Amino acid sequence: MVQGALKLVLEPIFEADFLPCSYGFRPNRRAHDAVAEVRHFASCSYEWFVEGDIKACFDEISHSALLNRIRVRIGDKRVLALVKAFLKAGILTEDGTLADTQPGTPQGGILSPVIANVALSVLDEHFVASRLNHEQRAKRRRRGLPNYRLIRYADDWCLAVSGTRQQAEALRTEAAEVLSTMGLRLSPEKTLITHIDEGLDFLGWRIQRHRKRGTTKHYVYNYPAKKALRAVLAKIKALCWQDTNLPLAVLLHRLNSMLRGWTAYFRYGCSSKTFNYVRAYLWQRVFGWLRRKHPKATWKQLRRHTSDGWWPAENTVTLFNPAGVGTRRYSYRGTKIPSPWPIGA
Protein backbone atom coordinates (compact mmCIF):
# COMPACT_ATOMS: atom_id res chain seq x y z
CA MET A 1 0.00 0.00 0.00
CA VAL A 2 2.84 2.39 0.88
CA GLN A 3 4.62 1.57 -2.38
CA GLY A 4 1.42 2.21 -4.33
CA ALA A 5 0.98 5.61 -2.69
CA LEU A 6 4.63 6.45 -3.34
CA LYS A 7 4.23 5.49 -7.00
CA LEU A 8 1.27 7.86 -7.32
CA VAL A 9 3.52 10.67 -6.07
CA LEU A 10 6.66 9.91 -8.07
CA GLU A 11 5.32 8.78 -11.43
CA PRO A 12 3.64 12.03 -12.61
CA ILE A 13 6.72 14.05 -11.59
CA PHE A 14 9.23 11.92 -13.48
CA GLU A 15 6.94 11.29 -16.44
CA ALA A 16 7.32 14.99 -17.25
CA ASP A 17 11.09 14.41 -17.61
CA PHE A 18 11.19 11.01 -19.34
CA LEU A 19 12.01 11.19 -23.04
CA PRO A 20 9.87 9.67 -25.83
CA CYS A 21 12.50 7.00 -26.59
CA SER A 22 11.61 5.13 -23.38
CA TYR A 23 8.67 2.70 -23.54
CA GLY A 24 8.92 0.21 -20.70
CA PHE A 25 6.47 0.39 -17.76
CA ARG A 26 5.12 3.78 -18.78
CA PRO A 27 1.46 4.81 -19.23
CA ASN A 28 -0.03 4.42 -22.73
CA ARG A 29 3.19 2.79 -24.01
CA ARG A 30 3.89 -0.81 -24.91
CA ALA A 31 6.52 -3.10 -26.36
CA HIS A 32 4.98 -2.86 -29.83
CA ASP A 33 5.77 0.87 -29.90
CA ALA A 34 9.45 0.15 -29.27
CA VAL A 35 9.56 -2.55 -31.97
CA ALA A 36 7.76 -0.28 -34.45
CA GLU A 37 10.30 2.48 -33.77
CA VAL A 38 13.23 0.14 -34.44
CA ARG A 39 11.63 -0.93 -37.71
CA HIS A 40 10.90 2.68 -38.64
CA PHE A 41 14.49 3.83 -38.16
CA ALA A 42 15.86 0.72 -39.87
CA SER A 43 13.84 1.77 -42.93
CA CYS A 44 15.33 5.29 -42.78
CA SER A 45 19.08 4.72 -43.31
CA TYR A 46 19.83 3.61 -39.72
CA GLU A 47 21.50 0.33 -40.69
CA TRP A 48 23.80 -0.44 -37.73
CA PHE A 49 22.40 -1.42 -34.34
CA VAL A 50 24.00 -1.68 -30.91
CA GLU A 51 22.04 -4.36 -29.05
CA GLY A 52 22.56 -3.42 -25.42
CA ASP A 53 22.45 -5.96 -22.61
CA ILE A 54 22.90 -4.63 -19.07
CA LYS A 55 24.43 -7.21 -16.75
CA ALA A 56 22.17 -7.87 -13.74
CA CYS A 57 20.50 -4.48 -14.17
CA PHE A 58 18.09 -4.54 -11.23
CA ASP A 59 20.73 -6.05 -8.91
CA GLU A 60 23.53 -3.52 -9.47
CA ILE A 61 21.92 -0.06 -9.54
CA SER A 62 23.86 2.19 -7.19
CA HIS A 63 21.65 3.48 -4.37
CA SER A 64 23.62 6.70 -3.89
CA ALA A 65 23.57 7.58 -7.60
CA LEU A 66 19.86 6.75 -7.82
CA LEU A 67 18.94 8.84 -4.78
CA ASN A 68 20.95 11.75 -6.17
CA ARG A 69 18.85 11.68 -9.33
CA ILE A 70 15.64 11.54 -7.32
CA ARG A 71 16.71 14.50 -5.12
CA VAL A 72 16.93 16.69 -8.23
CA ARG A 73 13.13 16.54 -8.57
CA ILE A 74 11.96 15.61 -5.05
CA GLY A 75 12.66 17.95 -2.16
CA ASP A 76 10.38 16.41 0.48
CA LYS A 77 12.60 14.54 2.95
CA ARG A 78 9.74 12.28 4.01
CA VAL A 79 9.31 10.99 0.45
CA LEU A 80 13.08 10.55 0.08
CA ALA A 81 13.18 8.61 3.35
CA LEU A 82 10.47 6.25 2.08
CA VAL A 83 12.34 5.63 -1.17
CA LYS A 84 15.55 4.92 0.74
CA ALA A 85 13.72 2.57 3.10
CA PHE A 86 12.31 0.72 0.09
CA LEU A 87 15.78 0.33 -1.42
CA LYS A 88 17.30 -0.87 1.88
CA ALA A 89 14.40 -3.16 2.84
CA GLY A 90 16.36 -6.35 2.17
CA ILE A 91 15.37 -9.69 0.65
CA LEU A 92 13.84 -12.68 2.42
CA THR A 93 15.88 -15.70 1.31
CA GLU A 94 14.67 -19.29 0.88
CA ASP A 95 15.94 -20.32 4.30
CA GLY A 96 13.94 -17.54 5.99
CA THR A 97 16.83 -15.15 6.70
CA LEU A 98 16.88 -11.49 5.73
CA ALA A 99 19.66 -10.51 3.32
CA ASP A 100 20.76 -6.88 2.93
CA THR A 101 20.39 -5.13 -0.43
CA GLN A 102 23.41 -2.88 -0.78
CA PRO A 103 23.06 -2.16 -4.52
CA GLY A 104 20.04 -2.81 -6.74
CA THR A 105 16.28 -2.44 -6.45
CA PRO A 106 13.93 -5.16 -5.14
CA GLN A 107 12.19 -6.81 -8.09
CA GLY A 108 8.47 -7.49 -8.12
CA GLY A 109 7.45 -4.38 -6.16
CA ILE A 110 5.00 -1.80 -7.47
CA LEU A 111 7.62 0.91 -7.23
CA SER A 112 10.50 -0.99 -8.87
CA PRO A 113 9.67 -0.12 -12.53
CA VAL A 114 9.49 3.61 -11.79
CA ILE A 115 12.75 3.53 -9.82
CA ALA A 116 14.48 1.56 -12.59
CA ASN A 117 13.28 4.03 -15.24
CA VAL A 118 14.66 6.92 -13.18
CA ALA A 119 18.05 5.21 -13.08
CA LEU A 120 18.13 4.17 -16.75
CA SER A 121 16.90 7.54 -18.01
CA VAL A 122 20.52 8.67 -17.66
CA LEU A 123 21.08 6.79 -20.93
CA ASP A 124 18.15 8.56 -22.61
CA GLU A 125 19.37 11.98 -21.55
CA HIS A 126 22.89 11.36 -22.79
CA PHE A 127 21.85 10.52 -26.34
CA VAL A 128 19.98 13.80 -26.83
CA ALA A 129 21.34 13.96 -30.38
CA SER A 130 18.35 11.80 -31.30
CA ARG A 131 16.22 14.93 -30.84
CA LEU A 132 18.04 16.89 -33.58
CA ASN A 133 15.90 18.18 -36.42
CA HIS A 134 16.30 17.17 -40.07
CA GLU A 135 18.70 19.98 -40.97
CA GLN A 136 20.99 19.27 -38.02
CA ARG A 137 21.14 15.58 -38.86
CA ALA A 138 21.95 16.38 -42.50
CA LYS A 139 24.76 18.67 -41.33
CA ARG A 140 26.24 15.86 -39.23
CA ARG A 141 26.12 13.49 -42.21
CA ARG A 142 28.00 15.99 -44.40
CA ARG A 143 30.70 16.19 -41.74
CA GLY A 144 31.03 12.40 -41.57
CA LEU A 145 29.50 12.22 -38.09
CA PRO A 146 26.99 9.51 -37.15
CA ASN A 147 23.35 10.07 -36.36
CA TYR A 148 21.83 7.78 -33.76
CA ARG A 149 18.52 7.04 -32.08
CA LEU A 150 18.01 5.26 -28.78
CA ILE A 151 15.06 2.91 -28.26
CA ARG A 152 14.66 1.56 -24.73
CA TYR A 153 12.13 -0.74 -23.08
CA ALA A 154 13.08 -0.94 -19.38
CA ASP A 155 16.56 -2.50 -19.35
CA ASP A 156 16.29 -3.76 -22.96
CA TRP A 157 17.61 -1.17 -25.37
CA CYS A 158 19.19 -0.76 -28.76
CA LEU A 159 20.92 2.15 -30.47
CA ALA A 160 20.16 2.69 -34.15
CA VAL A 161 23.18 4.22 -35.92
CA SER A 162 23.33 5.91 -39.31
CA GLY A 163 27.04 5.63 -39.96
CA THR A 164 29.76 2.99 -39.94
CA ARG A 165 30.48 -0.03 -37.78
CA GLN A 166 33.45 1.77 -36.19
CA GLN A 167 31.18 4.65 -35.16
CA ALA A 168 28.70 2.15 -33.68
CA GLU A 169 31.53 0.58 -31.65
CA ALA A 170 32.52 4.02 -30.34
CA LEU A 171 28.91 4.66 -29.30
CA ARG A 172 28.81 1.31 -27.49
CA THR A 173 31.82 2.38 -25.44
CA GLU A 174 30.14 5.72 -24.78
CA ALA A 175 26.98 4.00 -23.55
CA ALA A 176 29.03 1.80 -21.21
CA GLU A 177 30.64 4.89 -19.67
CA VAL A 178 27.25 6.53 -19.14
CA LEU A 179 25.80 3.45 -17.44
CA SER A 180 28.85 3.14 -15.18
CA THR A 181 27.76 6.35 -13.41
CA MET A 182 24.77 4.36 -12.11
CA GLY A 183 26.90 1.35 -11.12
CA LEU A 184 25.77 -0.63 -14.19
CA ARG A 185 27.82 -2.64 -16.69
CA LEU A 186 27.24 -3.91 -20.20
CA SER A 187 27.61 -7.62 -20.81
CA PRO A 188 30.50 -7.98 -23.32
CA GLU A 189 29.17 -11.29 -24.62
CA LYS A 190 25.59 -10.18 -25.21
CA THR A 191 26.08 -6.55 -26.28
CA LEU A 192 26.29 -6.95 -30.04
CA ILE A 193 26.71 -4.73 -33.08
CA THR A 194 24.69 -5.97 -36.03
CA HIS A 195 23.69 -4.77 -39.48
CA ILE A 196 20.01 -4.68 -40.35
CA ASP A 197 20.65 -7.16 -43.20
CA GLU A 198 21.90 -9.63 -40.57
CA GLY A 199 18.96 -8.82 -38.30
CA LEU A 200 18.57 -8.31 -34.58
CA ASP A 201 16.38 -9.78 -31.82
CA PHE A 202 14.48 -7.25 -29.75
CA LEU A 203 11.67 -7.91 -27.27
CA GLY A 204 10.97 -11.33 -28.72
CA TRP A 205 10.90 -10.12 -32.34
CA ARG A 206 13.32 -10.70 -35.19
CA ILE A 207 13.80 -7.46 -37.12
CA GLN A 208 15.63 -7.91 -40.42
CA ARG A 209 15.76 -6.52 -43.93
CA HIS A 210 14.86 -8.96 -46.72
CA ARG A 211 14.29 -8.78 -50.44
CA LYS A 212 10.61 -8.87 -51.24
CA ARG A 213 9.75 -12.01 -53.14
CA GLY A 214 9.36 -11.42 -56.87
CA THR A 215 10.99 -7.97 -56.79
CA THR A 216 14.43 -6.41 -56.38
CA LYS A 217 13.29 -4.13 -53.54
CA HIS A 218 14.29 -4.67 -49.93
CA TYR A 219 12.06 -4.03 -46.91
CA VAL A 220 12.39 -4.34 -43.14
CA TYR A 221 10.22 -7.08 -41.65
CA ASN A 222 9.52 -8.10 -38.08
CA TYR A 223 8.41 -11.59 -37.11
CA PRO A 224 8.70 -13.85 -34.03
CA ALA A 225 12.31 -14.64 -33.12
CA LYS A 226 13.46 -18.26 -32.99
CA LYS A 227 13.96 -17.98 -29.24
CA ALA A 228 10.31 -16.92 -28.76
CA LEU A 229 9.16 -19.75 -31.04
CA ARG A 230 11.21 -22.33 -29.15
CA ALA A 231 9.78 -21.04 -25.86
CA VAL A 232 6.15 -21.46 -26.91
CA LEU A 233 6.83 -24.90 -28.40
CA ALA A 234 8.47 -25.94 -25.12
CA LYS A 235 5.38 -24.78 -23.20
CA ILE A 236 3.10 -26.77 -25.51
CA LYS A 237 5.29 -29.85 -25.07
CA ALA A 238 5.33 -29.46 -21.28
CA LEU A 239 1.55 -29.10 -21.08
CA CYS A 240 0.98 -32.09 -23.35
CA TRP A 241 3.21 -34.29 -21.17
CA GLN A 242 0.89 -33.81 -18.21
CA ASP A 243 -1.08 -36.56 -16.51
CA THR A 244 -3.29 -38.28 -19.08
CA ASN A 245 -5.89 -38.95 -16.38
CA LEU A 246 -7.00 -35.35 -16.76
CA PRO A 247 -10.01 -34.67 -19.01
CA LEU A 248 -9.21 -33.36 -22.47
CA ALA A 249 -11.14 -30.15 -21.71
CA VAL A 250 -8.68 -29.28 -18.90
CA LEU A 251 -5.71 -29.63 -21.25
CA LEU A 252 -7.46 -27.53 -23.91
CA HIS A 253 -8.25 -24.78 -21.40
CA ARG A 254 -4.60 -24.54 -20.36
CA LEU A 255 -3.33 -24.52 -23.93
CA ASN A 256 -5.92 -21.96 -25.03
CA SER A 257 -5.09 -19.42 -22.32
CA MET A 258 -1.38 -19.63 -23.12
CA LEU A 259 -1.75 -19.51 -26.91
CA ARG A 260 -4.21 -16.62 -26.92
CA GLY A 261 -1.77 -14.42 -25.05
CA TRP A 262 1.20 -15.47 -27.22
CA THR A 263 -0.58 -14.88 -30.53
CA ALA A 264 -2.07 -11.58 -29.31
CA TYR A 265 1.47 -10.28 -28.77
CA PHE A 266 2.92 -11.59 -32.04
CA ARG A 267 0.01 -10.79 -34.34
CA TYR A 268 1.46 -7.33 -35.10
CA GLY A 269 4.02 -8.47 -37.64
CA CYS A 270 4.72 -11.00 -40.39
CA SER A 271 3.72 -13.94 -38.24
CA SER A 272 1.40 -16.03 -40.44
CA LYS A 273 3.98 -18.70 -41.28
CA THR A 274 5.00 -18.98 -37.64
CA PHE A 275 1.37 -19.34 -36.54
CA ASN A 276 0.83 -22.11 -39.10
CA TYR A 277 3.93 -23.92 -37.85
CA VAL A 278 2.70 -23.67 -34.25
CA ARG A 279 -0.70 -25.00 -35.36
CA ALA A 280 0.86 -28.11 -36.92
CA TYR A 281 3.07 -28.74 -33.87
CA LEU A 282 0.11 -28.20 -31.54
CA TRP A 283 -2.04 -30.75 -33.38
CA GLN A 284 0.71 -33.37 -33.22
CA ARG A 285 1.27 -32.87 -29.50
CA VAL A 286 -2.44 -32.94 -28.55
CA PHE A 287 -3.06 -36.08 -30.58
CA GLY A 288 0.04 -37.63 -29.04
CA TRP A 289 -1.52 -36.94 -25.64
CA LEU A 290 -4.78 -38.55 -26.79
CA ARG A 291 -2.92 -41.64 -28.04
CA ARG A 292 -1.28 -42.06 -24.64
CA LYS A 293 -4.60 -41.51 -22.89
CA HIS A 294 -6.37 -44.09 -25.11
CA PRO A 295 -3.58 -46.47 -26.21
CA LYS A 296 -5.97 -49.08 -27.63
CA ALA A 297 -8.28 -46.68 -29.44
CA THR A 298 -8.39 -46.58 -33.22
CA TRP A 299 -8.19 -43.36 -35.22
CA LYS A 300 -11.93 -43.60 -35.80
CA GLN A 301 -12.52 -43.69 -32.06
CA LEU A 302 -10.09 -40.83 -31.45
CA ARG A 303 -12.02 -38.72 -33.91
CA ARG A 304 -14.83 -38.54 -31.37
CA HIS A 305 -12.64 -36.01 -29.53
CA THR A 306 -12.49 -33.68 -32.53
CA SER A 307 -14.69 -31.27 -34.43
CA ASP A 308 -14.59 -29.74 -37.91
CA GLY A 309 -12.15 -32.16 -39.49
CA TRP A 310 -9.87 -33.64 -36.86
CA TRP A 311 -9.41 -30.48 -34.78
CA PRO A 312 -9.37 -31.39 -31.03
CA ALA A 313 -12.46 -30.48 -29.00
CA GLU A 314 -14.49 -31.76 -26.08
CA ASN A 315 -18.02 -30.70 -25.25
CA THR A 316 -18.02 -26.91 -25.66
CA VAL A 317 -14.23 -26.50 -25.43
CA THR A 318 -12.34 -26.33 -28.74
CA LEU A 319 -8.58 -26.08 -29.09
CA PHE A 320 -7.47 -22.58 -30.00
CA ASN A 321 -6.23 -22.36 -33.60
CA PRO A 322 -3.16 -20.06 -33.89
CA ALA A 323 -3.39 -20.07 -37.69
CA GLY A 324 -6.81 -18.43 -37.44
CA VAL A 325 -5.37 -15.27 -35.87
CA GLY A 326 -5.16 -12.38 -38.32
CA THR A 327 -1.91 -10.43 -38.55
CA ARG A 328 -1.30 -6.79 -39.36
CA ARG A 329 1.40 -4.16 -39.14
CA TYR A 330 1.54 -2.10 -35.95
CA SER A 331 1.30 1.63 -36.69
CA TYR A 332 4.30 3.66 -35.60
CA ARG A 333 3.14 6.36 -33.17
CA GLY A 334 6.47 8.00 -32.25
CA THR A 335 6.04 11.23 -30.30
CA LYS A 336 2.26 11.21 -30.81
CA ILE A 337 1.65 9.01 -27.76
CA PRO A 338 -0.49 11.07 -25.35
CA SER A 339 0.54 11.55 -21.74
CA PRO A 340 -2.02 10.89 -18.98
CA TRP A 341 -0.67 14.03 -17.24
CA PRO A 342 -0.85 16.92 -19.71
CA ILE A 343 1.73 19.65 -19.25
CA GLY A 344 0.18 22.61 -17.44
CA ALA A 345 -2.89 20.68 -16.28
Side-chain angles (χ1 to χ4, degrees), residues 3 63 81-93 97-107:
Q3 286 189 38
H63 288 179
L82 283 174
V83 174
K84 187 174 181 179
F86 168 70
L87 294 174
K88 302 291 185 181
I91 301 173
L92 191 64
T93 60
T97 59
L98 188 65
D100 293 335
T101 52
Q102 295 302 326
T105 63
Q107 298 187 45

Side-chain angles (χ1 to χ4, degrees), residues 86-228:
F86 168 70
L87 294 174
K88 302 291 185 181
I91 301 173
L92 191 64
T93 60
E94 293 181 356
D95 57 0
T97 59
L98 188 65
D100 293 335
T101 52
Q102 295 302 326
T105 63
Q107 298 187 45
I110 301 174
L111 193 61
S112 294
V114 179
I115 295 296
N117 269 332
V118 172
L120 293 171
S121 63
V122 67
L123 194 65
D124 310 343
E125 295 167 3
H126 177 76
F127 290 107
V128 291
S130 61
R131 303 178 71 182
L132 297 177
N133 58 37
H134 178 73
E135 294 179 358
Q136 292 171 323
R137 291 195 295 270
K139 188 176 181 179
R140 288 178 61 86
R141 279 195 295 268
R142 289 194 297 268
R143 292 181 176 181
L145 298 174
N147 289 314
Y148 42 86
R149 299 293 186 101
L150 178 71
I151 305 98
R152 184 175 65 81
Y153 187 92
D155 59 330
D156 293 320
W157 61 274
C158 68
L159 192 63
V161 182
S162 177
T164 64
R165 181 182 179 89
Q166 291 74 21
Q167 290 169 335
E169 290 173 350
L171 288 168
R172 176 177 61 182
T173 304
E174 194 175 321
E177 293 174 355
V178 172
L179 290 171
S180 65
T181 62
M182 298 300 300
L184 301 172
R185 299 171 295 160
L186 289 179
S187 173
E189 302 82 15
K190 297 181 180 179
T191 301
L192 308 174
I193 295 177
T194 54
H195 194 273
I196 189 59
D197 290 337
E198 301 170 0
L200 69 149
D201 290 347
F202 187 59
L203 300 177
W205 293 90
R206 182 69 176 175
I207 306 171
Q208 190 170 356
R209 185 164 61 189
H210 296 280
R211 181 181 61 84
K212 186 177 180 181
R213 186 179 300 175
T215 69
T216 58
K217 295 182 179 180
H218 289 73
Y219 297 94
V220 178
Y221 298 91
N222 62 293
Y223 44 90
K226 289 183 178 179
K227 184 178 179 181

